[in-house]
């Protein structure tokens, strides 16, 4: 498959997937990168330069909130993100949209060749 098509498809679902991962508990960026990779069987291999702008945009939109951890010993401080109430509502809307969208795509991809389309 051509990488540009795969990239375009992935781009459309990243925010929904990040919001879904944050429903479980608060996470820092690298955790999200690892979980996306692991849970997708390696399909979603994000770089920090891809994930962080998404997180910043979602924070600006009120979908997530962040906090800095207090470092212990030689540990460095990490920025944790958690789902805001607005983010939960948006995630539910995105899931509904995804169901409708993917169902309609499947209806077209699975339609019989030469079937009547009803438009004449």
């Amino acid at each position: 498959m051509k990488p540009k098509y795969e990239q375009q498809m992935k781009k459309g679902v990243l925010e929904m997937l990040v919001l879904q991962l944050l429903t479980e508990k608060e996470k820092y960026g690298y955790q999200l990168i690892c979980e996306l990779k692991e849970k997708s069987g390696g399909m979603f291999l994000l770089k920090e330069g891809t994930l962080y702008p998404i997180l910043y945009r979602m924070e600006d939109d009120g979908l997530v909130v962040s906090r800095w951890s207090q470092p212990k010993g030689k540990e460095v401080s990490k920025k944790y993100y958690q789902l805001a109430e607005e983010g939960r509502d948006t995630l539910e809307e995105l899931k509904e949209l995804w169901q409708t969208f993917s169902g309609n795509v499947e209806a077209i991809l699975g339609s019989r060749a030469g079937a009547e389309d009803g438009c004449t």
Side-chain angles (χ1 to χ4, degrees), residues 86-103:
E86 179 75 21
R88 287 186 195 286
D89 296 342
T90 299
L91 177 59
E92 289 309 310
E93 291 172 13
L94 289 172
K95 285 175 162 180
E96 288 176 24
L97 178 59
W98 177 256
Q99 291 300 319
T100 302
F101 180 85
S102 61

Side-chain angles (χ1 to χ4, degrees), residues 75-90:
E75 198 178 83
V76 295
S77 185
K78 296 175 185 164
K79 191 172 186 179
Y80 284 85
Y81 295 88
Q82 71 180 56
L83 204 54
E85 194 58 40
E86 179 75 21
R88 287 186 195 286
D89 296 342
T90 299

Side-chain angles (χ1 to χ4, degrees), residues 3 16 25-27 36 40 50-51 62 71-72 93 107 109 114 118:
M16 179 175 57
K25 65 177 186 175
E26 69 176 4
K27 296 177 179 151
L36 281 168
S40 71
T50 302
L51 177 65
K72 297 172 187 156
E93 291 172 13
L109 293 177

Side-chain angles (χ1 to χ4, degrees), residues 16-84:
M16 179 175 57
L17 298 178
V18 169
L19 290 172
Q20 179 63 40
L21 291 178
L22 291 174
T23 61
E24 301 163 11
K25 65 177 186 175
E26 69 176 4
K27 296 177 179 151
Y28 57 94
Y30 187 69
Q31 274 181 298
L32 291 166
I33 289 171
C34 291
E35 282 190 39
L36 281 168
K37 178 183 175 184
E38 180 184 315
K39 291 183 176 187
S40 71
M43 176 168 260
F44 289 94
L45 296 170
L46 297 187
K47 296 180 180 172
E48 291 176 6
T50 302
L51 177 65
Y52 285 104
I54 291 169
L55 289 169
Y56 299 151
R57 187 171 53 253
M58 290 194 307
E59 191 170 20
D60 288 345
D61 292 344
L63 305 179
V64 300
V65 293
S66 66
R67 71 167 182 87
W68 286 97
S69 67
Q70 294 298 318
K72 297 172 187 156
K74 295 183 180 187
E75 198 178 83
V76 295
S77 185
K78 296 175 185 164
K79 191 172 186 179
Y80 284 85
Y81 295 88
Q82 71 180 56
L83 204 54

